[in-house]
């Protein structure tokens, strides 16, 4: 954005003077800037993180003081909690379907838009709009009505003579409507792809054209490799986001994760345990498992990235 | 962000192919926006006209749904709107204030343990909020803050959204140091430099942070769900959810009308700051 002009200035005098005046007051001034964050970090992040770790080893129910029960919560989660495994399955299905589909759409449309199409800003804005509205209750409400038995989706299918199911209340389909909602919001990764595509110098393609490379070869040998850092970034952000999805599932299933737990996202299960049944120790253990999954995923992505992400430096 | 590269590639694309792309893009736009337009149209239709009718133009145009929806619950949507507005505006002030302070300290000042704190700050970017959720809830419960706006607003004044610190940090780093140094010669201290040099030069970044804070706070459902119990405290999102559960099953058009109302502030921001929002995404990787 702003470029730093390289004008060497030597103004050591005032700096020296202030140093002589004492590092302590300087430190205090610096920390006065940091103070709000520092209070927030210690009181709202670090403290609660440690407390959460402790609570995950207790039977805390909000009413009585937490009692230390060792790894009992974790043992029960792993060995004796059908809902945990089920919500894991729902969440992973959602992540594995929604993220690649969304990224594919985002990349495809970014490439079309990058062709120097007239009206680019308009298309870009239109495609981005659903992403911006995505997290709101209104959109979840809309989605619920869209895929109701007599909703717009089935009206549209009816035009082709297809009798659609009642998507939302049929456990075979309900999760896929949520996947579709996520894919519909491909706008923000698309914009990041678009920014990435613009970094690829056009003369690379010109050279490839002269060498007789066709479009598919150009995509596989030039576009995709040069874009891997952006794919990597979008992939991580979208995956972590998908693991944390909550509002659409909550609204569409009226907080139950139904029908028959088909949309019981992990976060929804955690919410139910913590705030519907007040099993807060148990919910804390669930939160730590989520943290471990996200951390493992991130670490795995970074470790493998050296084999497929090509940085241009 | 110039269009120089795209202009260069335009020449390679023939007219027919360009037309094909326009057809694809228009089709995709239509499919994507149709649900939104359908919701908007349905909010002006009488109930019996909504279903089985995919047309966007109401046969009988009526504002009835808005009137019914606005006061359809014991508490009017006006109260929800006001609550959301108060929480969102305070969150914007808190976030911009506290995040820019921290970002300035990390970008420009020297102090002991700076790298240590900075690493921890970056670490919090990765932390899912579910981990801190329950202890925070217990904390706010013990402070007697549950069922007030404080749990939703106070964290914003304590720079709890580390993402915005990072965004502003990146921006501050791009501002030439010579400007600070000139100010130091003129006898300005860090506060003066922050206030009179950094902030005026950072208006685009501050605006990005402010707009996204507003939209995300406005749309936030989880926070209010946990901390607000009393209908008179509800935000628009909670009000809408209550509406779904109580009357939504029969009164579709009123539900759509209130959904449109809930989206209005976000749509307004989008209409006005569209370019800024999109550049914010492209350069910082903010998610929408």
């Amino acid at each position: 954005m702003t470029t730093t002009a390289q004008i060497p200035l030597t103004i050591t005098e005032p700096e020296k003077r202030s140093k002589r005046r004492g590092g302590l007051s300087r430190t205090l001034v610096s920390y006065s800037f940091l103070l709000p964050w520092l209070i927030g970090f210690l009181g709202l992040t670090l403290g609660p993180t440690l407390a959460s770790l402790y609570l995950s080893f207790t039977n805390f129910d909000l009413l009585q003081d937490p009692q230390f029960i060792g790894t009992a919560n974790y043992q029960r989660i792993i060995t004796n909690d059908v809902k945990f495994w089920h919500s894991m399955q729902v969440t992973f299905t959602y992540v594995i379907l929604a993220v690649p589909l969304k990224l594919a759409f985002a990349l495809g449309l970014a490439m079309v838009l990058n062709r120097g199409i007239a009206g680019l800003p308009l298309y870009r804005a239109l495609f981005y709009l659903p992403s911006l509205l995505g997290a709101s209750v209104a959109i979840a409400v809309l989605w619920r009505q869209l895929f109701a038995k007599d909703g717009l989706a089935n009206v549209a299918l009816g035009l082709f003579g297809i009798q659609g199911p009642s998507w939302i209340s049929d456990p075979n389909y309900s999760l896929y409507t949520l996947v579709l909602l996520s894919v519909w919001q491909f706008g923000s990764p698309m914009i990041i792809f678009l920014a990435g595509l613009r970094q690829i110098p056009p003369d690379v393609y010109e050279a490839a054209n002269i060498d007789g490379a066709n479009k598919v070869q150009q995509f596989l040998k030039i576009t995709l490799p040069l874009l891997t850092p952006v794919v990597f970034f979008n992939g991580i952000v979208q995956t972590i986001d998908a693991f944390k999805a909550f509002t659409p599932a909550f609204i569409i299933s009226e907080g139950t994760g139904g029908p028959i737990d088909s949309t019981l996202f992990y976060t929804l299960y955690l919410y139910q345990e913590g705030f519907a049944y007040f099993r807060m120790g148990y919910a804390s253990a669930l939160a730590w498992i989520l943290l471990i999954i996200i951390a493992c995923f991130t670490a795995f992505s970074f470790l493998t990235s050296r084999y497929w992400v090509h940085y241009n430096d | 962000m110039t269009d120089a590269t795209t202009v260069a590639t335009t020449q390679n694309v023939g007219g027919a192919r360009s037309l094909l792309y326009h057809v694809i893009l228009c089709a995709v736009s239509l499919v994507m926006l149709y649900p939104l337009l359908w919701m908007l149209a349905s909010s002006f239709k009488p109930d019996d006209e909504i279903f089985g009718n995919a047309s966007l133009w109401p046969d009988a145009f009526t504002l009835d749904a808005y009137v019914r929806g606005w006061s359809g619950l014991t508490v009017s949507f006006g109260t929800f709107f006001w609550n959301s507005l108060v929480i969102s505006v305070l969150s914007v002030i808190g976030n911009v204030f506290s995040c820019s302070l921290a970002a300035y300290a990390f970008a420009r000042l020297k102090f002991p343990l700076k790298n240590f704190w900075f690493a921890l700050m970056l670490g919090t970017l990765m932390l899912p909020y579910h981990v801190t959720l329950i202890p925070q809830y217990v904390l706010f419960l013990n402070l007697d803050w549950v069922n007030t706006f404080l749990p939703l607003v106070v964290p914003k004044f304590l720079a709890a959204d580390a993402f915005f610190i990072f965004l502003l940090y990146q921006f501050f780093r791009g501002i030439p140091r010579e400007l600070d140094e000139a100010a130091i010669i003129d006898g300005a201290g860090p506060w003066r430099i922050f206030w009179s040099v950094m902030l005026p030069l950072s208006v685009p970044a501050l605006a990005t942070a402010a707009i996204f804070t507003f939209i995300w706070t406005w749309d936030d459902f989880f926070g209010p769900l946990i901390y607000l119990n009393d209908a008179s405290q509800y935000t628009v999102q909670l009000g809408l959810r209550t509406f779904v559960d109580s009357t939504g099953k029969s009164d579709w058009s009123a539900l759509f009308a209130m959904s449109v109302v809930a989206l209005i502030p976000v749509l307004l921001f989008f209409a006005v700051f569209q370019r800024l929002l999109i550049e914010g995404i492209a350069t910082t990787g903010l998610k929408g």
Side-chain angles (χ1 to χ4, degrees), chain A residues 50-66:
Chain A
L50 297 174
S52 163
L53 184 61
Y54 169 70
L55 287 178
S56 75
F57 294 105
T58 70
N59 62 355
F60 187 47
D61 63 356
L62 202 62
L63 301 171
Q64 286 161 341
D65 284 339

Side-chain angles (χ1 to χ4, degrees), chain A residues 126-127 184, chain B residues 24-37 56:
Chain A
L126 291 180
F127 292 160
W184 185 58
Chain B
I24 296 174
L25 291 172
C26 283
V28 176
S29 311
L30 193 68
V31 171
M32 287 191 62
L33 295 183
Y34 204 87
L36 290 170
L37 296 172
L56 291 181

Side-chain angles (χ1 to χ4, degrees), chain A residues 145-146 148-152 155, chain B residues 38 42 45-54 249-250 252-253 256:
Chain A
Q145 258 54 271
L146 214 53
K149 180 133 188 65
D150 48 359
L152 185 62
V155 173
Chain B
W38 181 68
S42 299
K45 292 175 185 172
D47 247 11
D48 52 0
E49 211 195 300
I50 293 180
F51 288 100
N53 182 358
K249 285 198 175 80
S250 50
W252 299 112
S253 53
F256 280 139

Side-chain angles (χ1 to χ4, degrees), chain A residues 1-5 7 9 11 14 26-27 29-34 36-45 48-49 51-52 55 60 62 109 112-118 120-121 123-133 135-139 141-142 144-146 150-152 155 184 186 188 191-192 195 198 202 215 233 236-237 240-241 244 246-247 250-251 254 267 270-271 274-275 280 283-284 287-288 290-291 294 298 302, chain B residues 1-3 5-6 9-10 13 17-18 21-22 25-26 28-29 32-36 38-39 51-52 54 98 101-102 104-106 109-113 117 120-121 124 126-128 130-141 155 157-159 165 171 174 176 178 181 184-185 190-191 194 212 215 219 221-222 225-226 237 240-241 244-245 249 252 255-256 259 262-263 266-267 270 274-275 277-278 281-283 285-288:
Chain A
M1 291 184 192
T2 325
T3 43
T4 315
I7 309 160
L9 277 177
I11 1 125
R26 233 179 112 123
T27 302
V29 171
S30 299
Y31 268 91
S32 67
F33 279 91
L34 206 61
W37 174 78
L38 206 54
I39 296 170
F41 173 72
L42 296 175
L44 296 175
T45 307
T49 302
S52 163
L55 287 178
F60 187 47
L62 202 62
L109 282 161
V112 174
L113 285 181
N114 197 41
R115 297 273 164 170
I117 278 277
L120 166 79
Y123 286 123
R124 207 175 43 178
L126 291 180
F127 292 160
Y128 171 58
L129 182 63
S131 289
L132 187 74
L133 301 178
S136 62
V137 172
I139 293 301
V141 166
L142 167 66
R144 216 178 74 159
Q145 258 54 271
L146 214 53
D150 48 359
L152 185 62
V155 173
W184 185 58
F186 64 79
S188 64
I191 284 164
I192 299 170
R198 295 202 166 179
K215 290 287 170 202
F233 175 83
I236 288 204
V237 170
I240 293 178
D241 241 33
K244 297 194 291 194
F246 178 81
T247 306
F250 186 94
I251 295 297
E254 291 173 24
T267 52
L270 194 154
Y271 168 80
F275 294 91
M280 294 206 156
S284 299
W288 272 85
L290 181 67
L291 172 64
I294 289 179
T298 314
F302 272 93
Chain B
M1 276 276 192
T2 60
D3 288 65
T5 48
T6 44
T9 47
T10 315
V13 181
R17 176 165 288 171
S18 166
Y21 285 134
H22 274 293
L25 291 172
C26 283
V28 176
S29 311
M32 287 191 62
L33 295 183
Y34 204 87
L36 290 170
W38 181 68
M39 175 166 74
F51 288 100
S98 61
L101 286 181
Y104 175 69
F106 285 130
L109 302 176
K110 289 194 183 109
F111 52 91
L113 294 177
W117 293 124
L120 285 177
M121 192 275 288
T124 62
M126 278 295 183
L127 194 72
H130 306 85
V131 170
T132 53
L133 178 69
I134 285 167
Q136 272 188 21
Y137 181 80
V138 175
L139 173 72
F140 293 139
L141 192 69
F157 281 86
L158 300 174
I165 302 181
F171 194 88
E178 287 74 25
E181 282 155 3
I184 292 171
I185 293 177
W191 280 97
F194 172 71
F212 272 101
I215 292 175
D219 278 346
F221 174 66
F222 195 70
L225 177 70
I226 286 181
Q237 308 300 331
L240 199 55
R241 181 255 172 143
V244 179
D245 291 352
K249 285 198 175 80
W252 299 112
L255 177 59
F256 280 139
S259 301
L263 290 176
V266 180
L267 289 172
F270 182 68
Q274 186 247 107
R275 183 138 203 134
L277 289 172
I278 284 173
I281 303 272
T283 51
L286 272 164
K287 57 193 189 315

Side-chain angles (χ1 to χ4, degrees), chain B residues 201-213:
Chain B
L201 289 171
S202 309
V203 171
L206 296 171
T208 306
I211 292 164
F212 272 101
T213 302

Side-chain angles (χ1 to χ4, degrees), chain B residues 90-278:
Chain B
L90 287 175
S91 296
V92 168
I93 296 169
N95 237 353
V96 171
F97 164 78
S98 61
C99 292
S100 60
L101 286 181
Y104 175 69
F106 285 130
R108 280 295 207 264
L109 302 176
K110 289 194 183 109
F111 52 91
L113 294 177
K114 175 170 152 173
N115 291 338
F116 172 73
W117 293 124
F118 190 66
L120 285 177
M121 192 275 288
L122 289 182
T124 62
L125 286 172
M126 278 295 183
L127 194 72
Y129 65 85
H130 306 85
V131 170
T132 53
L133 178 69
I134 285 167
Q136 272 188 21
Y137 181 80
V138 175
L139 173 72
F140 293 139
L141 192 69
N142 286 329
L143 289 170
D144 223 2
W145 284 6
V146 170
N147 213 19
T148 72
F149 295 163
L150 291 172
L152 302 172
V153 168
V154 170
K156 306 287 167 78
F157 281 86
L158 300 174
D161 285 334
F163 187 82
F164 291 112
I165 302 181
F166 187 65
L167 187 154
L168 293 168
Y169 164 84
Q170 295 281 39
F171 194 88
F172 288 166
R173 269 183 20 153
I175 294 175
R177 272 185 187 271
E178 287 74 25
L179 293 171
D180 303 31
E181 282 155 3
I184 292 171
I185 293 177
D186 291 344
W191 280 97
R192 187 69 197 276
I193 294 170
F194 172 71
W195 191 251
S196 309
V197 180
M198 300 300 271
L199 288 190
L201 289 171
S202 309
V203 171
L206 296 171
T208 306
I211 292 164
F212 272 101
T213 302
F214 186 93
I215 292 175
W216 291 350
T217 314
W218 184 271
D219 278 346
D220 185 25
F221 174 66
F222 195 70
L225 177 70
I226 286 181
Y227 289 114
L228 304 177
N229 311 321
D230 196 282
S232 66
Q233 304 272 15
Y234 277 7
T235 61
V236 169
Q237 308 300 331
L238 283 186
L240 199 55
R241 181 255 172 143
T242 314
F243 204 84
V244 179
D245 291 352
S246 57
T247 63
K249 285 198 175 80
S250 50
D251 201 351
W252 299 112
S253 53
L255 177 59
F256 280 139
M258 288 308 101
S259 301
V260 171
V261 165
L263 290 176
I264 284 174
V266 180
L267 289 172
L268 277 180
F269 269 98
F270 182 68
V272 178
F273 297 108
Q274 186 247 107
R275 183 138 203 134
L276 187 67
L277 289 172
I278 284 173

